Amino acid sequence: MASLNVGNLGEYLREQRRNAQLSLRQLADAAGVSNPYLSQIERGLRKPSADVLQQVAKALRISAETLYVRAGILDEKERDELETRAVILADPSVNERQKQVLLQIYESFRKENGFEVSGYADEASSYADDADDVDDVDATADGPRTADGSDASPKDHPSS
């Protein structure tokens, strides 16, 4: 078989697998792919789908977006934008409504700075379709807020 333009991906996967101290067979089992198929990916003979890359990334406990970039599925700028959104969406200390406000602010800053806004904003907002409407957020409200966005009462913040 002729080598495809995925050698960089294969080398990276092999390095990550070795760093995780996993054999090829162990990683294949953990990712739910065949041992020969994973071997061919590592040797640059096969170009895996995004789904397979996601399974492998999960098994290795690394970013799937990093693998997408290495495989040529995603460009570097898109990866950075996706990772920023993923961090916001995954934060358990911020409620869904707050996450959407943060994503809207992020998008407005990107637009203001001349960056093209991708369709990922719509995808991210689908996570909070059931959340309260974010248009009624008063960003200029005075006073401290709790982690869930509600007003903190004076008893929550004892004076010194």
Side-chain angles (χ1 to χ4, degrees), residues 42-159:
E42 282 193 359
R43 291 182 287 138
L45 301 176
R46 295 276 183 190
K47 183 174 182 179
S49 68
D51 288 339
V52 169
L53 289 174
Q54 186 174 23
Q55 291 169 244
V56 171
K58 186 175 180 182
L60 287 170
R61 297 182 179 174
I62 60 174
S63 164
E65 287 80 12
T66 300
L67 296 183
Y68 296 160
V69 169
R70 297 231 177 218
I73 295 172
L74 191 66
D75 74 19
E76 191 75 28
K77 291 178 188 175
E78 289 175 339
R79 184 198 72 168
D80 292 342
E81 187 179 341
L82 274 175
E83 287 181 347
T84 300
R85 291 179 202 306
V87 168
I88 291 170
L89 292 170
D91 189 337
S93 67
V94 181
N95 68 35
E96 290 303 312
R97 183 172 180 224
Q98 293 167 333
K99 290 175 185 180
Q100 292 312 304
V101 171
L102 285 171
L103 289 172
Q104 286 180 350
I105 292 168
Y106 176 66
E107 285 301 323
S108 70
F109 284 153
R110 286 181 54 79
K111 284 179 189 174
E112 183 178 315
N113 293 332
F115 287 92
E116 191 174 310
V117 178
S118 69
Y120 298 115
D122 297 333
E123 184 179 305
S125 67
S126 70
Y127 286 102
D129 283 343
D130 299 329
D132 294 334
D133 185 14
V134 294
D135 293 335
D136 65 350
V137 173
D138 183 6
T140 62
D142 295 329
R145 298 265 182 198
T146 63
D148 70 357
S150 61
D151 290 330
S153 65
K155 68 180 177 187
D156 293 337
H157 298 284
S159 56

Side-chain angles (χ1 to χ4, degrees), residues 17 20-33 35 38 59:
R17 178 177 58 78
Q21 298 180 337
L22 293 172
S23 70
L24 192 63
R25 186 175 310 277
Q26 289 170 321
L27 179 56
D29 288 344
V33 298
N35 188 32
L38 185 58

Side-chain angles (χ1 to χ4, degrees), residues 1-7 39-47:
M1 283 186 175
S3 181
L4 302 172
N5 190 15
V6 290
S39 174
Q40 289 174 346
I41 294 169
E42 282 193 359
R43 291 182 287 138
L45 301 176
R46 295 276 183 190
K47 183 174 182 179

